[in-house]
Amino acid sequence: MSKIESLAQAIEARLGARLKRAVAMAGELTYEVSQAQLLDVCLQLRDAPELAFEQLMDLAGIDYLEYGCDEWRTQSATRSGFSRGVRRSTAAEAPSGRERFAVVYHLLSVSQNWRVRLRCSCLGDEPPMVDSVVDVWAAANWFEREAFDLFGILFRGHPDLRRILTDYGFIGHPFRKDFPLSGNVEVRYDPAKGRVVYEPVSIEPRIVVPKVIREDNRYDPILREVPDRG
């Protein structure tokens, strides 16, 4: 039995139906957990001696607004990996019936030398909210502030949920897919007022043009064949 399957067996024996295994890349293990079970599951993952996930390596927000969408009017561009290809005529919703926002937790067991990933969906779109895990892993403090700042996700029970990367007067959350590329406000120093002032952004919004792979006869398979000179 592989190490990943040994870990999966140990997790499922301890937590049972409280977790749902999700599709992950080879060599990785991912589980989905509900909001109601999040804190209890995290405590079990940390404290169970056969699991011993003592360390929260990372915590990140996810915005599924354009997940799985195909917007390019071309046959050459990839179906995924791009965004803002064409301007939509209607408000987009998260596809596949999933909640728009989620939080992912990357856990490490130093003593057992294995890793696991948890994903918890935020119920409701505005404001998206999930319980804070600061009392489980102290390292979550800054990670949760970052997810709040960039995605607007609220962490219930966080001791000091303030912005950590953007300015105090910043409007919006930069990593939301509905956030304008040019931002909402710009900052400049006003010598007449002797202070920094905020003004509506003066940059004209634009749509990024995708890079399309065009036909090139230089790469035609016929031209690449080596003729038989025997």
Side-chain angles (χ1 to χ4, degrees):
M1 182 183 296
S2 68
K3 191 167 186 177
I4 286 293
E5 290 307 317
S6 298
L7 173 57
Q9 192 175 75
I11 289 176
E12 290 162 18
R14 167 67 66 166
L15 297 169
R18 284 179 284 181
L19 291 178
K20 177 183 177 183
R21 189 166 178 177
V23 176
M25 296 179 64
E28 297 182 354
L29 190 60
T30 301
Y31 285 96
E32 293 186 353
V33 59
S34 68
Q35 279 210 39
Q37 299 288 345
L38 176 63
L39 293 180
D40 182 56
V41 164
C42 288
L43 285 169
Q44 292 283 337
L45 289 172
R46 185 194 67 181
D47 297 338
E50 71 275 20
L51 302 176
F53 286 100
E54 314 100 338
Q55 190 166 353
L56 174 68
M57 295 295 295
D58 194 14
L59 180 155
I62 306 176
D63 183 357
Y64 286 104
L65 177 63
E66 296 182 356
Y67 179 78
C69 295
D70 181 11
E71 294 187 338
W72 300 118
R73 300 191 185 101
T74 174
Q75 296 180 351
S76 301
T78 177
R79 291 175 60 88
S80 61
F82 297 100
S83 63
R84 306 174 192 267
V86 296
R87 193 177 298 280
R88 294 185 176 185
S89 56
T90 58
E93 298 179 355
S96 307
R98 85 162 57 237
E99 300 291 340
R100 175 176 172 181
F101 295 98
V103 179
V104 169
Y105 307 82
H106 298 265
L107 308 180
L108 169 67
S109 172
V110 178
S111 56
Q112 301 285 359
N113 190 28
W114 51 30
R115 299 170 185 264
V116 72
R117 180 188 298 112
L118 286 183
R119 181 170 62 216
C120 182
S121 295
C122 302
L123 299 180
D125 286 349
E126 288 302 335
M129 186 178 297
V130 70
D131 287 324
S132 172
V133 296
V134 169
D135 291 338
V136 184
W137 297 286
N141 193 316
W142 281 33
F143 291 143
E144 290 179 350
R145 285 180 61 186
E146 181 183 48
F148 160 69
D149 194 354
L150 300 179
F151 289 95
I153 298 172
L154 301 180
F155 292 87
R156 189 186 296 110
H158 190 285
D160 186 23
L161 196 61
R162 292 176 293 130
R163 291 187 181 273
I164 193 171
L165 295 175
T166 58
D167 187 62
Y168 296 110
F170 191 85
I171 299 173
H173 303 283
F175 278 11
R176 291 195 178 197
K177 295 185 177 72
D178 54 3
F179 188 85
L181 291 175
S182 57
N184 290 308
V185 295
E186 60 187 24
V187 182
R188 68 176 180 85
Y189 178 77
D190 190 327
K193 296 181 179 179
R195 60 180 176 85
V196 170
V197 295
Y198 293 84
E199 298 174 339
V201 67
S202 59
I203 302 175
E204 193 69 27
R206 64 187 179 90
I207 298 176
V208 178
V209 178
K211 179 179 179 181
V212 179
I213 303 174
R214 295 177 173 84
E215 297 294 333
D216 192 331
N217 292 331
R218 293 175 297 174
Y219 301 103
D220 193 302
I222 298 177
L223 299 178
R224 299 178 65 179
E225 293 179 358
V226 179
D228 185 3
R229 300 185 184 278

